[in-house]
mmCIF file of all heavy atoms in Angstrom:
data_model
loop_
_atom_site.group_PDB
_atom_site.id
_atom_site.type_symbol
_atom_site.label_atom_id
_atom_site.label_comp_id
_atom_site.label_asym_id
_atom_site.label_seq_id
_atom_site.Cartn_x
_atom_site.Cartn_y
_atom_site.Cartn_z
ATOM 1 N N PHE A 398 -22.042 8.347 -14.120
ATOM 2 C CA PHE A 398 -22.797 8.815 -15.280
ATOM 3 C C PHE A 398 -21.870 9.002 -16.477
ATOM 4 O O PHE A 398 -22.227 8.651 -17.620
ATOM 5 C CB PHE A 398 -23.515 10.122 -14.946
ATOM 6 C CG PHE A 398 -24.383 10.631 -16.054
ATOM 7 C CD1 PHE A 398 -25.628 10.065 -16.301
ATOM 8 C CD2 PHE A 398 -23.958 11.679 -16.869
ATOM 9 C CE1 PHE A 398 -26.431 10.530 -17.336
ATOM 10 C CE2 PHE A 398 -24.754 12.147 -17.907
ATOM 11 C CZ PHE A 398 -25.997 11.573 -18.139
ATOM 12 N N THR A 399 -20.693 9.559 -16.229
ATOM 13 C CA THR A 399 -19.729 9.738 -17.321
ATOM 14 C C THR A 399 -19.279 8.395 -17.871
ATOM 15 O O THR A 399 -19.171 8.214 -19.096
ATOM 16 C CB THR A 399 -18.514 10.540 -16.823
ATOM 17 O OG1 THR A 399 -18.948 11.805 -16.320
ATOM 18 C CG2 THR A 399 -17.516 10.764 -17.937
ATOM 19 N N ALA A 400 -18.985 7.448 -16.977
ATOM 20 C CA ALA A 400 -18.549 6.118 -17.420
ATOM 21 C C ALA A 400 -19.642 5.419 -18.219
ATOM 22 O O ALA A 400 -19.362 4.735 -19.218
ATOM 23 C CB ALA A 400 -18.148 5.273 -16.211
ATOM 24 N N TYR A 401 -20.892 5.591 -17.788
ATOM 25 C CA TYR A 401 -22.014 4.971 -18.498
ATOM 26 C C TYR A 401 -22.153 5.568 -19.899
ATOM 27 O O TYR A 401 -22.338 4.848 -20.893
ATOM 28 C CB TYR A 401 -23.292 5.185 -17.692
ATOM 29 C CG TYR A 401 -24.501 4.485 -18.255
ATOM 30 C CD1 TYR A 401 -24.737 3.142 -17.977
ATOM 31 C CD2 TYR A 401 -25.425 5.163 -19.051
ATOM 32 C CE1 TYR A 401 -25.847 2.483 -18.487
ATOM 33 C CE2 TYR A 401 -26.545 4.520 -19.568
ATOM 34 C CZ TYR A 401 -26.745 3.174 -19.278
ATOM 35 O OH TYR A 401 -27.846 2.540 -19.797
ATOM 36 N N THR A 402 -22.055 6.890 -19.986
ATOM 37 C CA THR A 402 -22.151 7.557 -21.282
ATOM 38 C C THR A 402 -20.983 7.167 -22.181
ATOM 39 O O THR A 402 -21.170 6.898 -23.382
ATOM 40 C CB THR A 402 -22.182 9.081 -21.083
ATOM 41 O OG1 THR A 402 -23.257 9.429 -20.217
ATOM 42 C CG2 THR A 402 -22.355 9.792 -22.404
ATOM 43 N N ASP A 403 -19.763 7.132 -21.622
ATOM 44 C CA ASP A 403 -18.586 6.771 -22.410
ATOM 45 C C ASP A 403 -18.674 5.337 -22.923
ATOM 46 O O ASP A 403 -18.279 5.049 -24.060
ATOM 47 C CB ASP A 403 -17.319 6.938 -21.570
ATOM 48 C CG ASP A 403 -17.005 8.398 -21.300
ATOM 49 O OD1 ASP A 403 -17.569 9.272 -21.988
ATOM 50 O OD2 ASP A 403 -16.194 8.665 -20.388
ATOM 51 N N ALA A 404 -19.186 4.425 -22.088
ATOM 52 C CA ALA A 404 -19.291 3.025 -22.508
ATOM 53 C C ALA A 404 -20.284 2.872 -23.660
ATOM 54 O O ALA A 404 -20.020 2.149 -24.637
ATOM 55 C CB ALA A 404 -19.708 2.157 -21.328
ATOM 56 N N ASN A 405 -21.413 3.543 -23.571
ATOM 57 C CA ASN A 405 -22.390 3.478 -24.667
ATOM 58 C C ASN A 405 -21.843 4.120 -25.935
ATOM 59 O O ASN A 405 -22.043 3.609 -27.041
ATOM 60 C CB ASN A 405 -23.693 4.164 -24.244
ATOM 61 C CG ASN A 405 -24.575 3.264 -23.398
ATOM 62 O OD1 ASN A 405 -25.215 2.348 -23.893
ATOM 63 N ND2 ASN A 405 -24.586 3.530 -22.099
ATOM 64 N N ALA A 406 -21.141 5.246 -25.760
ATOM 65 C CA ALA A 406 -20.554 5.899 -26.925
ATOM 66 C C ALA A 406 -19.466 5.026 -27.548
ATOM 67 O O ALA A 406 -19.341 4.954 -28.787
ATOM 68 C CB ALA A 406 -19.984 7.255 -26.524
ATOM 69 N N ALA A 407 -18.671 4.359 -26.710
ATOM 70 C CA ALA A 407 -17.629 3.479 -27.226
ATOM 71 C C ALA A 407 -18.224 2.301 -27.995
ATOM 72 O O ALA A 407 -17.685 1.875 -29.024
ATOM 73 C CB ALA A 407 -16.766 2.979 -26.073
ATOM 74 N N LYS A 408 -19.337 1.782 -27.505
ATOM 75 C CA LYS A 408 -20.008 0.682 -28.204
ATOM 76 C C LYS A 408 -20.487 1.129 -29.579
ATOM 77 O O LYS A 408 -20.291 0.429 -30.595
ATOM 78 C CB LYS A 408 -21.174 0.176 -27.372
ATOM 79 C CG LYS A 408 -21.953 -0.954 -28.030
ATOM 80 C CD LYS A 408 -23.152 -1.362 -27.192
ATOM 81 C CE LYS A 408 -23.934 -2.483 -27.899
ATOM 82 N NZ LYS A 408 -25.140 -2.873 -27.120
ATOM 83 N N GLU A 409 -21.127 2.293 -29.629
ATOM 84 C CA GLU A 409 -21.615 2.809 -30.903
ATOM 85 C C GLU A 409 -20.464 3.104 -31.862
ATOM 86 O O GLU A 409 -20.568 2.838 -33.073
ATOM 87 C CB GLU A 409 -22.444 4.065 -30.655
ATOM 88 C CG GLU A 409 -23.738 3.800 -29.882
ATOM 89 C CD GLU A 409 -24.485 5.079 -29.552
ATOM 90 O OE1 GLU A 409 -23.971 6.159 -29.910
ATOM 91 O OE2 GLU A 409 -25.569 4.997 -28.944
#
Side-chain angles (χ1 to χ4, degrees):
F398 184 77
T399 302
Y401 185 83
T402 304
D403 290 344
N405 279 285
K408 179 183 179 182
E409 294 175 359

